[in-house]
Amino acid sequence: MRILAVISLLLTFSAQAQFGQYQSLELPAGTRSAALGGTMVSLADGELMQFMNNPAVLDSVEVSDVTFNYNPYFADVNAFSGAYFADLGKIGPVAFGLTYLSFGEFTETDDTGNEIGRFNAYDYVLTVGKSQTVGPFTFGVNMKFAQSAIDSYSSSVMAFDLGGIYRFPDQNVTFGLAFKNFGFRLSDYATTKSQMPFDVQMGVTIKPEYMPFRFTITTYNLVEENLVFKPETDEQTSRTSAAFDKILRRINFGTELILNEALQFQFGYNHLRRQEMKVGDSAEGAGLSYGFSLGIKKFKFRYARSKYHAAGGANFISVQTNLNSYKKIL
């Protein structure tokens, strides 16, 4: 059963990355991203983990911010991530991030099925990010080293993100653009070339002046021609609804209810995840996500739950603080 759960998880990632390798590069960038549907590039309001979506958002992050995230998936599959925004003097502020995805321990057998040992499988990504602001524009770059390992076999890549943020003057509107995960292989499992999960993503975040809501809409998978993993077999499905479905598969919707600076609730919808993970005509909530952010003194706590398929969903937990606030104590 555990093997089936791991396979299901991999299919979940593949539904968004179209079966490319290095799925650790496709994980939601933190708890808040998971709550808002998993994909966004325009949300720039001080959350450190968002730089893994778009490095240009670092202009809104405070130096010495640090964050830790824990995400238990299914069947002992766990993801850990963290980031720190450090001031390096003449170089300026630089963000450092680490994502580790453990698939757990497996039984190794010989050709006849006899157990001969145990082995582990895991992915990890090291990220370094930097941004620069020019007027209403901010540009950023991430440099990433990613490795995937199964027992004694491994594969690694060097990848880069280029991102931009534009803040509309006198309006609470932010536009984001990111070119993600382009680079080259350093090593591979086999002689066949692995596919890099390159993507172009665009989005906009809008906070209406007299509403307690913030809306984020992101288009992604813009370089993929076909996002239909399970072809529609219903002969009664109209061409109009089929075309509308193909458009929705490239859009991620997120909404935040802002009660005050310390408490916000998030809701998200990912149509691609819903369509690829539903069983028959029943989605069982797949594609929906929700969460909340709670500020208590020096800490910002976040929780999210994202529904992947009928078997259940995944929980996300994170905490963010600023180390400078502890100088008087230390």
Side-chain angles (χ1 to χ4, degrees):
M1 292 297 295
R2 186 161 158 273
I3 293 293
L4 293 177
V6 171
I7 292 174
S8 177
L9 177 64
L10 290 174
L11 287 176
T12 300
F13 295 153
S14 297
Q16 299 182 58
Q18 288 300 288
F19 299 99
Q21 293 186 19
Y22 314 109
Q23 302 304 329
S24 52
L25 294 172
E26 297 299 307
L27 291 175
T31 300
R32 192 174 175 205
S33 289
L36 292 170
T39 304
M40 64 203 63
V41 293
S42 58
L43 193 56
D45 65 348
E47 186 193 356
L48 177 54
M49 285 301 293
Q50 292 297 330
F51 94 94
M52 295 188 179
N53 286 322
N54 183 349
V57 307
L58 285 171
D59 71 330
S60 66
V61 179
E62 292 186 19
V63 171
S64 293
D65 272 359
V66 60
T67 183
F68 300 96
N69 303 266
Y70 172 55
N71 171 213
Y73 277 104
F74 315 101
D76 295 330
V77 178
N78 294 279
F80 306 87
S81 61
Y84 178 59
F85 195 38
D87 187 353
L88 299 186
K90 293 183 179 180
I91 298 176
V94 177
F96 299 89
L98 170 65
T99 300
Y100 180 80
L101 177 63
S102 171
F103 293 100
E105 189 177 59
F106 297 85
T107 300
E108 183 179 3
T109 61
D110 59 21
D111 294 340
T112 61
N114 296 316
E115 182 176 341
I116 59 175
R118 311 282 291 181
F119 67 93
N120 294 294
Y122 63 87
D123 287 5
Y124 72 85
V125 182
L126 297 171
T127 306
V128 178
K130 175 73 175 163
S131 69
Q132 181 66 44
T133 299
V134 181
F137 294 93
T138 301
F139 306 94
V141 58
N142 282 338
M143 180 175 64
K144 301 185 285 190
F145 173 79
Q147 184 174 67
S148 177
I150 302 175
D151 194 12
S152 60
Y153 304 93
S154 65
S155 176
S156 60
V157 299
M158 186 65 71
F160 300 88
D161 302 332
L162 290 178
I165 288 287
Y166 176 76
R167 290 179 171 82
F168 288 79
D170 303 321
Q171 299 183 54
N172 204 340
V173 179
T174 305
F175 174 79
L177 171 66
F179 299 86
K180 304 182 66 173
N181 300 322
F182 61 91
F184 53 90
R185 295 179 304 131
L186 299 174
S187 62
D188 215 335
Y189 287 112
T191 56
T192 57
K193 292 184 178 181
S194 301
Q195 179 183 354
M196 293 287 292
F198 173 69
D199 194 13
V200 177
Q201 301 176 358
M202 293 187 297
V204 61
T205 296
I206 302 173
K207 169 62 176 71
E209 184 176 0
Y210 299 107
M211 292 180 63
F213 291 97
R214 178 164 44 214
F215 304 97
T216 298
I217 302 176
T218 308
T219 59
Y220 65 112
N221 280 325
L222 298 181
V223 297
E224 292 286 347
E225 294 184 4
N226 185 16
L227 294 179
V228 180
F229 168 54
K230 293 191 304 182
E232 182 62 63
T233 57
D234 186 357
E235 295 182 357
Q236 296 181 352
T237 300
S238 68
R239 292 183 178 180
T240 301
S241 61
F244 188 61
D245 175 74
K246 289 181 179 180
I247 294 174
L248 286 179
R249 286 172 184 254
R250 302 178 187 273
I251 303 177
N252 184 95
F253 300 92
T255 302
E256 289 186 283
L257 171 60
I258 306 171
L259 299 183
N260 53 54
E261 189 174 324
L263 181 62
Q264 302 95 37
F265 292 91
Q266 295 89 29
F267 309 91
Y269 176 65
N270 187 301
H271 187 70
L272 174 62
R273 184 185 302 158
R274 175 183 176 86
Q275 292 299 89
E276 301 301 354
M277 301 309 295
K278 68 181 182 181
V279 179
D281 295 328
S282 177
E284 299 289 342
L288 298 176
S289 56
Y290 58 87
F292 67 87
S293 301
L294 177 64
I296 302 178
K297 294 185 177 180
K298 298 179 176 66
F299 297 94
K300 189 77 170 183
F301 298 94
R302 293 184 173 91
Y303 169 80
R305 182 167 178 81
S306 182
K307 193 68 181 294
Y308 282 96
H309 50 70
N315 297 308
F316 299 77
I317 304 169
S318 72
V319 59
Q320 178 172 323
T321 189
N322 188 282
L323 296 185
N324 282 337
S325 62
Y326 300 93
K327 282 187 175 180
K328 293 183 180 181
I329 298 176
L330 300 175

